[in-house]
Amino acid sequence: MTGGTRGLGLAVGRMLAERGWRTTVLGLDPGRLEKVRAMAEAEGLDLRAVRADVTSEESVREVFAELTTDQPLHLCVNNAGRNLSRLLLRKPRDEGAAELLTHPLDDWEKTLRLCLTGVFLVGREAAASMVRHQVAGAIVNVSSGLAAGAYGQSAYTAAKAGVEALTRTWSYELGPYGIRVAAVAPGVMDGEALREKSTAFPRHAHYMDGLKRFVPLGRWGAEEEIADAVCFAAENPYVTGSVIRVDGGGPPGWVP
Ligand SMILES: NC(=O)c1ccc[n+]([C@@H]2O[C@H](COP(=O)([O-])OP(=O)(O)OC[C@H]3O[C@@H](n4cnc5c(N)ncnc54)[C@H](OP(=O)(O)O)[C@@H]3O)[C@@H](O)[C@H]2O)c1
């Protein structure tokens, strides 16, 4: 389970452990990893927290060698990811400036590296481990309601569309080994990430409030509601190749 030190990942890790899965969550921040260990101990959950960087092939290989050489892996949840808002281009605030400002390549590459390459690196090791141990396991990828495209989201939407394509491709390739691959696409979640961004950027908070009108259920999702869908995809033996949308009915994509 990647990105399991907070937000949706922590909710999924916790729910899996409560349902009897021996769970390991991966994350980067040592302080957050320690908090997860303390929480697991306090609540008596079979939940380990291990440091690994999903953007590094070496780090992913090392953690899989440590965790799966002697014991089979039955489930991999690819959750680590982060939204980035950047316009492809915009006019400078200074009316006199001639140059348009354009989406930095570095931002594009970092987002693709975390949200798409990370899924590829972890999914590849997970599938290899399952095949080596002859485990008919499952891989569940976390996509986003924005995978279809959204204003100001070039890198993130491209990455999540890639995640959905990988999900279908791997379901074809891994089905013959009995391995299922599915994705869950959340709408906006009322969680730490949204609260942090809204506090840092009041205009964002205002924009998001307006967007809520386009959600038929009129509210953002709870992390536990999305986690429940991840557990369903993990546990239902006939689910593969699908993207399960859990978004209260919309919105279809962010608009200006
Ligand atoms: N929040 C939403 O409204 C929303 C909506 C649709 C889809 N999603 C998707 O749902 C997933 C979780 O979102 P969230 O809002 O819960 O995220 P979050 O609160 O920002 O948490 C991200 C997690 O990913 C981990 N992470 C970041 N970079 C990593 C790296 N290089 N290697 C390993 N772990 C790394 C973080 O660990 P550390 O903190 O330890 O670094 C953290 O546990 C993402 O894929 C996101 O795109 C979110």
Side-chain angles (χ1 to χ4, degrees), residues 2-9 26-30 32-33 52-55 78-83 114-115 142-145 156 160 185-190 192-194 223:
T2 71
T5 56
R6 62 179 156 148
L8 174 63
L26 306 179
L28 273 183
D29 184 285
R32 286 185 185 272
L33 288 164
D53 180 356
V54 301
T55 67
N78 275 308
N79 164 77
R82 181 146 318 146
N83 175 281
L114 173 61
C115 296
V142 176
S143 177
S144 163
Y156 185 72
K160 292 300 189 182
V188 177
M189 286 183 288
D190 196 358
E192 198 178 329
L194 178 68
E223 286 165 350

